[in-house]
Amino acid sequence: MKQHTDWLIFGSGLSALVLAERLGNAGKEVVLINPSRSWGGIFGGIGINGEIYDAGMTNFEFDLFGEPADDLDNYSPDRKADVGRYVHFVKSYLSRFVQTAPLPTPQICYGGQLVDDLIISNRFDVVRTLPVEVKQKICAELEEIVAHPNPLHPRSKNEPGSPLASTPFEQVSRANHGNTFHELFIEPIFGKILGIPTREIEGVFHRNGWAPLFYPESLLSQFTAAPQALKPTIFSYPTDPHFGVFIGRIASAVQALPSVTVIEGVKEVEVDADASSLRVGERCFSFNRLAWGADPAQLLGPDGSLQVPGRRANLDL
């Protein structure tokens, strides 16, 4: 016999938990199926000898563009101000589960001294420490760039048919930063963090993933008496011992909701899109809506088509 539910959520990530918590609090019947042994993915950290450690540089960035918003009815991820509205909304939601404090500006070691990080913090102190001949070379390249039309300028990224969508990031970076700045600051971070060269990344990676792409005019101004001040990036960290403590609090809130059924440690499921049902072992659930936060390949039918109809959106934050 099938158990019916308004929503069936399959996933172990933070967004699957949040979706279950919000729907459950709205009175919806929800079945949340966790295919993992824990919650939160990389945000939950790594357990070693009974201690939890963060999985890399993990923090919050709340101080983005846009006005605070209490709802997201008209939210569009393609509008820069709306991304800020969304982040304000997330901050308000998370304040129920976690308290945070600003972190000191991340630093890099350059030329044998520590300086505020340029790439992720929008602080350009390091360029003022460069040798005179290097500064002159960067300026000459940037002056050449801004003196001519630039089809790869970042401002064109939202235009229909923008070449940024089909150009390697290396070419985009060199077209806006110049060769010298690119090789000093941009190329190294890809090798250290991503392990791949910029020529293997699409030019639009800075929008849907993350990569530094500055306006050439902004960079050139850093070598003048009146440098443009970009909005600095401010990171925050929980006041808890490790980043992912709040994830356990959200999980506890979800498990306490009477309208939410949580099933953990599930490895094999069978989805029948035609019948809007999912089988877990001996249990079978029918659903009105399915939110899938795992590998989309698990939803593919025998002919390779996607079984579940409707829009597909990535559940991971």
Side-chain angles (χ1 to χ4, degrees):
M1 181 176 178
K2 292 181 182 178
Q3 176 182 337
H4 184 78
T5 185
D6 294 326
W7 278 81
L8 194 147
I9 304 171
F10 187 90
S12 61
L14 176 57
S15 52
L17 270 177
V18 170
L19 181 59
E21 192 272 337
R22 290 187 59 79
L23 290 171
N25 268 318
K28 301 292 185 181
E29 290 293 330
V30 177
V31 173
L32 174 60
I33 299 177
N34 182 351
S36 178
R37 292 177 296 176
S38 60
W39 297 102
I42 62 170
F43 295 132
I46 300 172
I48 302 176
N49 294 330
E51 298 289 338
I52 303 295
Y53 298 89
D54 292 342
M57 181 180 173
T58 309
N59 48 51
F60 296 111
E61 185 185 349
F62 292 134
D63 189 32
L64 293 179
F65 298 92
E67 296 298 322
D70 294 326
D71 65 78
L72 297 176
D73 289 343
N74 299 311
Y75 165 71
S76 170
D78 294 325
R79 291 197 294 264
K80 187 174 185 179
D82 276 18
V83 174
R85 290 177 68 241
Y86 169 73
V87 172
H88 287 298
F89 183 82
V90 170
K91 181 180 181 180
S92 176
Y93 174 83
L94 287 178
S95 66
R96 295 167 47 196
F97 304 99
V98 63
Q99 299 299 312
T100 63
L103 286 172
T105 301
Q107 294 190 308
I108 58 174
C109 182
Y110 190 85
Q113 58 182 319
L114 287 173
V115 293
D116 285 346
D117 178 89
L118 179 155
I119 298 301
I120 65 173
S121 301
N122 284 344
R123 299 179 187 270
F124 292 88
D125 300 36
V126 66
V127 302
R128 288 177 270 282
T129 69
L130 296 173
V132 173
E133 60 274 16
V134 176
K135 293 181 184 177
Q136 292 174 339
K137 191 173 182 180
I138 293 175
C139 284
E141 293 171 1
L142 290 170
E143 288 170 351
E144 179 71 14
I145 289 171
V146 301
H148 299 89
N150 183 4
L152 295 177
H153 197 285
R155 70 166 64 95
S156 72
K157 63 187 178 185
N158 291 323
E159 296 175 0
S162 169
L164 286 172
S166 57
T167 305
F169 189 83
E170 178 183 31
Q171 187 176 340
V172 174
S173 175
R174 292 181 186 276
N176 289 285
H177 303 143
N179 293 328
T180 303
F181 188 91
H182 173 86
E183 290 162 7
L184 277 175
F185 298 109
I186 306 299
E187 193 67 45
I189 197 170
F190 278 80
K192 291 179 180 178
I193 295 179
L194 299 179
I196 53 178
T198 54
R199 66 176 180 273
E200 296 181 16
I201 295 291
E202 293 179 350
V204 293
F205 182 72
H206 71 286
R207 291 194 67 209
N208 50 19
W210 175 83
L213 184 57
F214 302 106
Y215 278 27
E217 295 85 356
S218 299
L219 280 185
L220 184 57
S221 78
Q222 303 307 315
F223 299 90
T224 68
Q228 179 185 356
L230 298 186
K231 185 178 178 68
T233 305
I234 299 174
F235 298 107
S236 297
Y237 193 85
T239 55
D240 298 294
H242 67 91
F243 184 82
V245 171
F246 71 95
I247 296 171
R249 295 176 186 143
I250 299 176
S252 295
V254 170
Q255 291 165 337
L257 290 169
S259 63
V260 179
T261 300
V262 180
I263 305 175
E264 300 187 55
V266 172
K267 292 299 182 184
E268 299 293 333
V269 296
E270 296 178 19
V271 180
D272 186 337
D274 294 330
S276 294
S277 66
L278 180 145
R279 181 176 295 278
V280 182
E282 299 299 319
R283 304 178 69 178
C284 188
F285 299 92
S286 62
F287 52 82
N288 294 332
R289 301 289 296 276
L290 171 67
W292 190 263
D295 184 357
Q298 292 178 261
L299 301 179
L300 296 179
D303 61 352
S305 62
L306 191 64
Q307 284 191 309
V308 178
R311 292 188 306 163
R312 176 188 162 215
N314 187 352
L315 274 181
D316 292 331
L317 291 178

